[in-house]
């Protein structure tokens, strides 16, 4: 069966421009074209795209993915075994990072020296004190908790409103880049991914690239994080995660 570029883009969760880029660099060239020159993808192309997406989720750059997939000694079963091994190895690291990742959501909402009215103004319907005891029990002995708690304890109402404004401004600019059609590993998207990392470091705790990549994984794996970004723009969590991975790789 033949599929149009639009059908493949929707099924795979990528942009049409990304598929055009993959074709241009020889990573994924469609199996056929119409008499008018339009791309037509077959089932073998979809299988290759699936493998590309797996490796991209694991943080591999496009040129390395091409080399892996074009290796004549490798077969589809070998690719799946390798991906299974890589993912299994990452699970342990992700488990270690879960506390720090959740802290990124919760620490900003505790130890704030505001009145209840001010807290409501800044955070809407969320009560920052609701999770403080639990957060202290789970993460009170970690360096990330201490660093974030020390910083946020000094923040005033105006500090939190500035943080909110900066994040909203970043979000608007990120959505503009995302909806422009550029790939998540474009220079524009990676620049905003880097700005996202720097916002975390400036306001809460040191966020090296390794931690930023773990955060990216959780944005798509944890429905709470995914839901937050989806309220800003549909598909944002996956696009941001891909941009963060690409940015980390480019700066390695």
């Amino acid at each position: 069966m033949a599929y149009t570029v639009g059908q493949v883009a929707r099924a795979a969760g990528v942009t049409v421009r990304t598929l055009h880029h993959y074709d241009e660099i020889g990573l994924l060239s469609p199996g056929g074209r119409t008499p008018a020159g339009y791309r037509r993808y077959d089932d073998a192309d979809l299988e290759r795209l699936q493998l590309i997406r797996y490796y991209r989720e694991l943080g591999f750059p496009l040129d390395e993915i091409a080399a892996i997939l074009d290796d004549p000694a490798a077969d589809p079963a070998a690719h799946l075994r390798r991906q299974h091994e890589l993912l299994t190895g990452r699970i342990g690291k992700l488990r270690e990072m879960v506390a720090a990742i959740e802290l990124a959501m919760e620490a900003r909402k505790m130890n704030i020296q505001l009145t209840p009215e001010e807290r409501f103004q800044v955070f809407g319907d969320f009560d920052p004190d609701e999770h403080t005891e639990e957060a202290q029990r789970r993460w009170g002995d970690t360096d990330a908790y201490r660093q974030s708690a020390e910083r946020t304890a000094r923040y005033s109402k105006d500090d939190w409103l500035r943080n909110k404004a900066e994040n909203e401004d970043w979000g608007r600019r990120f959505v503009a880049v995302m909806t422009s059609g550029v790939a998540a590993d474009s220079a524009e998207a990676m620049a905003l991914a880097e700005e996202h990392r720097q916002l975390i470091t400036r306001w809460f705790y040191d966020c090296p690239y390794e931690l930023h990549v773990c955060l990216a994984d959780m944005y798509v794996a944890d429905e709470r994080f995914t839901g937050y970004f989806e309220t800003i723009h549909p598909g944002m969590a996956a696009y941001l995660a891909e941009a963060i991975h690409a940015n980390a790789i480019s700066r390695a």
Side-chain angles (χ1 to χ4, degrees):
M1 182 173 179
Y3 306 89
T4 68
V5 66
Q7 289 173 323
V8 174
R10 287 190 293 273
V14 299
T15 64
V16 169
R17 179 171 292 193
T18 293
L19 292 175
H20 287 177
H21 179 60
Y22 288 173
D23 186 11
E24 291 166 1
I25 65 175
L27 179 61
L28 178 67
S29 296
R33 289 182 181 268
T34 67
Y38 293 109
R39 296 170 174 84
R40 285 293 183 268
Y41 295 83
D42 56 28
D43 290 332
D45 298 327
L46 297 187
E47 182 177 349
R48 183 178 175 92
L49 179 57
Q50 181 184 38
L51 293 173
I52 291 170
R53 293 290 289 158
Y54 284 153
Y55 280 115
R56 288 297 285 152
E57 289 296 327
L58 288 166
F60 283 75
L62 296 179
D63 57 348
E64 188 171 342
I65 294 174
I68 292 171
L69 296 183
D70 294 335
D71 181 0
D75 58 26
H79 287 303
L80 292 174
R81 285 194 298 271
R82 181 179 186 185
Q83 289 158 355
H84 181 270
E85 291 171 359
L86 291 169
L87 286 169
T88 301
R90 180 174 288 183
I91 288 173
K93 181 63 177 177
L94 286 175
R95 285 174 175 167
E96 294 174 0
M97 301 305 298
V98 164
I101 292 163
E102 292 181 349
L103 178 60
M105 176 182 287
E106 299 204 32
R108 63 181 298 179
K109 300 178 179 70
M110 58 193 174
N111 293 330
I112 308 166
Q113 298 174 352
L114 306 177
T115 66
E117 292 78 12
E118 289 172 333
R119 292 173 188 267
F120 181 83
Q121 178 182 347
V122 175
F123 297 105
D125 294 331
F126 187 90
D127 178 5
D129 290 326
E130 181 179 351
H131 301 287
T132 300
E133 183 177 349
E134 172 66 9
Q136 289 177 334
R137 183 183 66 81
R138 294 178 64 181
W139 307 307
D141 293 331
T142 66
D143 291 337
Y145 181 97
R146 285 190 290 269
Q147 185 180 24
S148 185
E150 288 172 2
R151 291 185 185 181
T152 57
R154 297 191 296 268
Y155 290 169
S156 65
K157 171 187 173 182
D158 288 341
D159 290 326
W160 283 108
L161 291 175
R162 280 195 298 273
N163 171 261
K164 183 173 181 286
E166 284 188 19
N167 278 283
E168 289 176 347
D169 174 66
W170 172 86
R172 284 190 293 269
R173 289 184 288 115
F174 190 86
V175 169
V177 167
M178 175 183 171
T179 56
S180 72
V182 301
D185 58 357
S186 66
E188 300 94 326
M190 288 193 295
L192 284 167
E194 174 63 17
E195 185 176 333
H196 179 267
R197 186 186 71 84
Q198 292 176 5
L199 280 171
I200 295 172
T201 297
R202 183 165 69 253
W203 282 96
F204 302 109
Y205 53 86
D206 295 338
C207 184
Y209 292 105
E210 182 182 27
L211 174 55
H212 203 211
V213 166
C214 289
L215 288 170
D217 292 339
M218 288 301 297
Y219 292 161
V220 293
D222 189 313
E223 63 182 11
R224 294 171 300 172
F225 290 94
T226 302
Y228 168 78
F229 288 112
E230 292 299 296
T231 62
I232 300 175
H233 191 82
M236 183 175 176
Y239 187 90
L240 174 58
E242 188 172 352
I244 289 173
H245 273 273
N247 182 57
I249 291 169
S250 71
R251 296 171 183 273

